[in-house]
Amino acid sequence: MDTNDSVDKLFLQKIEDSNAVLIFVLCIYIPLDIVIIAGNTFVLVVIRRTPSLHNIQFELLARLALVDLLSGIVGVPLSIWGNITRQSLYLVVEDCELQYIPGKILFATSFLHLLLITVDRHIAVMNPLIYPKLVTRNRIRKCVAVSWVYH
């Protein structure tokens, strides 16, 4: 038997033992959630307290950090709760709509914020002379609102 096959079988094996799920959650999800919450809180505090960072590009970054902070506060704990109550690491959509919907909304919103940051930086690099006229705080806020509504 090839070592790659045995590794693949090891990763694809369904974890049914409740102790194994609990150990996995305690070792991976909880430290990851702490890093997500602490890191995004730090980014928000730095942007808030530094006056030189109060421009449009950092407003988009702060909003992305806010979405990721919400993922750490809402999405990951719901995932942890679902994994422990199901005693499995697999997500069955029919069984857990409560944890699926917020995760989907936060993932899509985070992706759209990344897309807005990319478009903002593209316009700033490719058209620096018209950037201040084209990218305004009001337009950015409208785009962010659309990213929250569009799902």
Side-chain angles (χ1 to χ4, degrees):
M1 176 178 274
D2 190 12
T3 58
N4 289 337
D5 291 337
S6 62
V7 170
D8 288 342
K9 287 181 182 180
L10 178 67
F11 283 114
L12 295 177
Q13 181 180 6
K14 188 174 181 180
I15 299 176
E16 291 293 334
D17 183 24
S18 63
N19 291 333
V21 172
L22 185 61
I23 290 170
F24 182 80
V25 166
L26 291 175
C27 292
I28 302 295
Y29 279 133
I30 293 177
L32 179 68
D33 195 31
I34 292 169
V35 169
I36 290 169
I37 292 171
N40 287 300
T41 302
F42 178 73
V43 168
L44 288 170
V45 168
V46 167
I47 291 174
R48 176 76 174 139
R49 299 220 176 203
T50 309
S52 63
L53 300 181
H54 292 180
N55 56 28
I56 292 173
Q57 66 186 6
F58 289 106
E59 182 175 336
L60 284 171
L61 185 64
R63 298 199 184 232
L64 175 64
L66 180 64
V67 172
D68 290 342
L69 180 63
L70 288 174
S71 294
I73 293 172
V74 176
V76 176
L78 282 175
S79 179
I80 290 171
W81 171 69
N83 289 336
I84 291 173
T85 57
R86 283 191 321 277
Q87 296 181 354
S88 172
L89 296 176
Y90 292 97
L91 177 65
V92 181
V93 178
E94 295 83 26
D95 294 341
C96 51
E97 288 292 324
L98 178 66
Q99 84 183 80
Y100 173 72
I101 292 172
K104 176 184 175 275
I105 290 171
L106 292 169
F107 173 75
T109 305
S110 181
F111 178 77
L112 290 172
H113 278 75
L114 285 172
L115 183 65
L116 288 173
I117 291 171
T118 304
V119 170
D120 172 67
R121 294 294 82 211
H122 177 75
I123 294 170
V125 170
M126 299 304 289
N127 301 312
L129 297 177
I130 64 168
Y131 177 79
K133 295 176 190 168
L134 189 61
V135 180
T136 63
R137 202 169 293 277
N138 192 28
R139 286 183 180 162
I140 290 294
R141 288 183 179 149
K142 287 178 184 176
C143 289
V144 167
V146 166
S147 75
W148 275 99
V149 173
Y150 179 75
H151 290 57

